[in-house]
Amino acid sequence: MVPRGIKIDKEQLNILAYADVIALVRKNETEVRKLFVEIENIARKFGLQINEEKTKYMVVERKNSLKKNKIGHLKIKNYKFERVENFKYLGVILNENNNNQVDL
């Protein structure tokens, strides 16, 4: 089986979470969709809802192949998520070029 997500030290992770901030890390759109559906189903069991307005997605690729296709929104189930070129995660600004900078 090919590892999915990102490797930190010796651990392979596909979800980064701190409090109510969650980042899903997957290799392609199909895997993001599957993981999101799993997360949403589990959240619903606990009475939690996904905040569609606060939820965004970003494509990070070493190649420029996906950057040419600037799809504006990603639709999963009844949700519609806006695509962004960068976002702030725990004080660090991440971007689709796989560069990051600390927000001072």
Side-chain angles (χ1 to χ4, degrees):
M1 183 170 136
V2 177
R4 296 184 172 118
I6 61 171
K7 190 170 189 174
I8 297 179
D9 197 20
K10 294 181 181 182
E11 298 294 321
Q12 197 72 29
L13 305 173
N14 59 18
I15 299 174
L16 303 175
Y18 182 80
D20 65 345
V21 178
I22 299 173
L24 306 180
V25 181
R26 299 307 268 185
K27 198 171 185 174
N28 58 48
E29 183 182 318
T30 302
E31 290 184 9
V32 168
R33 289 176 184 281
K34 288 179 186 176
L35 184 57
F36 175 81
V37 169
E38 285 181 47
I39 297 287
E40 198 259 345
N41 288 337
I42 292 168
R44 193 174 327 133
K45 286 180 185 177
F46 289 96
L48 302 173
Q49 296 178 345
I50 305 298
N51 186 328
E52 187 174 358
E53 291 181 19
K54 289 185 176 181
T55 304
K56 312 290 182 210
Y57 82 101
M58 182 176 71
V59 175
V60 178
E61 274 269 312
R62 291 184 186 152
K63 304 173 195 169
N64 288 331
S65 60
L66 288 178
K67 292 179 188 173
K68 293 176 188 173
N69 186 10
K70 292 279 189 181
I71 300 169
H73 291 86
L74 177 64
K75 293 180 183 179
I76 304 175
K77 295 178 92 173
N78 293 327
Y79 297 95
K80 185 176 175 182
F81 303 118
E82 176 189 1
R83 181 175 178 170
V84 295
E85 294 179 2
N86 58 65
F87 72 95
K88 190 174 182 178
Y89 182 77
L90 301 179
V92 177
I93 298 172
L94 305 169
N95 65 47
E96 64 182 4
N97 295 322
N98 207 16
N99 299 328
N100 60 53
Q101 63 187 44
V102 177
D103 185 25
L104 299 177

